[in-house]
Amino acid sequence: MARLLHLLFEYIGRPSSMSGPSMFPTLAGENELVFENRITYRFKPIERGDLVTLKSPLDPGRIICKRIIGLPGDVICVDPTGKVAPSSEHVLLPQGHVWITGDNAAYSRDSRTYGPVSMSLIQGKLSHRIWPLSRFTKFSNPVTFLD
């Protein structure tokens, strides 16, 4: 039974606890449980706006949650406000890399700090907030871009 649960949680999906201010207001930051889909993103491409979990580029033992802002081949402005990153330079995302940010930019360490992130660090995609029940949510992709 333990092996079955391990396979289920590692490769299909699992509940995950979220904490911290970087994804506020999307995730309140305290005692929230989300469902982390760990299989769909392997077969369906990641899209701009997706909420993903990934190994931290600064501490691979730590799992973080961020929003995908840029995909391979996109040109991204590092920090349009100039408040977090040292410049507003533009970066071309290399193949196999994405640009991630927290929804609460002032309290998020993200690609503005460590640059493009390898897609191999992505662990899963958030599909639902499952706790507290009063805030049950199906996450949808809120980002739309005009051609």
Side-chain angles (χ1 to χ4, degrees):
M1 183 62 156
R3 287 183 185 180
L4 177 62
L5 285 176
H6 170 76
L7 290 173
L8 177 70
F9 285 0
E10 191 65 27
Y11 297 104
I12 306 297
R14 64 181 171 196
S16 295
S17 174
M18 295 289 135
S19 63
S22 75
M23 290 304 295
F24 185 81
T26 306
L27 299 172
E30 294 301 321
N31 303 318
E32 289 194 326
L33 279 179
V34 296
F35 185 76
E36 179 186 356
N37 184 323
R38 294 178 65 95
I39 193 168
T40 303
Y41 82 96
R42 298 175 195 267
F43 302 105
K44 182 182 174 202
I46 293 290
E47 298 176 349
R48 284 176 206 88
D50 285 346
L51 296 173
V52 296
T53 56
L54 62 151
K55 292 180 182 180
S56 168
L58 301 176
D59 178 4
R62 186 168 173 246
I63 302 298
I64 60 175
C65 175
K66 301 294 179 194
R67 187 175 301 278
I68 300 287
I69 299 299
L71 299 171
D74 287 353
V75 175
I76 299 291
C77 182
V78 173
D79 185 13
T81 65
K83 293 180 181 175
V84 177
S87 73
S88 58
E89 69 182 280
H90 290 76
V91 173
L92 172 64
L93 297 182
Q95 288 302 314
H97 289 74
V98 293
W99 194 267
I100 58 171
T101 62
D103 289 354
N104 189 2
Y107 294 95
S108 180
R109 202 167 6 169
D110 48 40
S111 285
R112 295 169 301 162
T113 302
Y114 36 75
V117 173
S118 173
M119 293 173 74
S120 66
L121 295 177
I122 295 175
Q123 300 288 298
K125 179 179 166 183
L126 298 190
S127 64
H128 294 82
R129 178 188 355 260
I130 55 179
W131 188 261
L133 288 176
S134 62
R135 296 195 66 217
F136 182 88
T137 307
K138 179 180 182 194
F139 295 118
S140 59
N141 189 327
V143 177
T144 56
F145 292 91
L146 300 175
D147 290 330

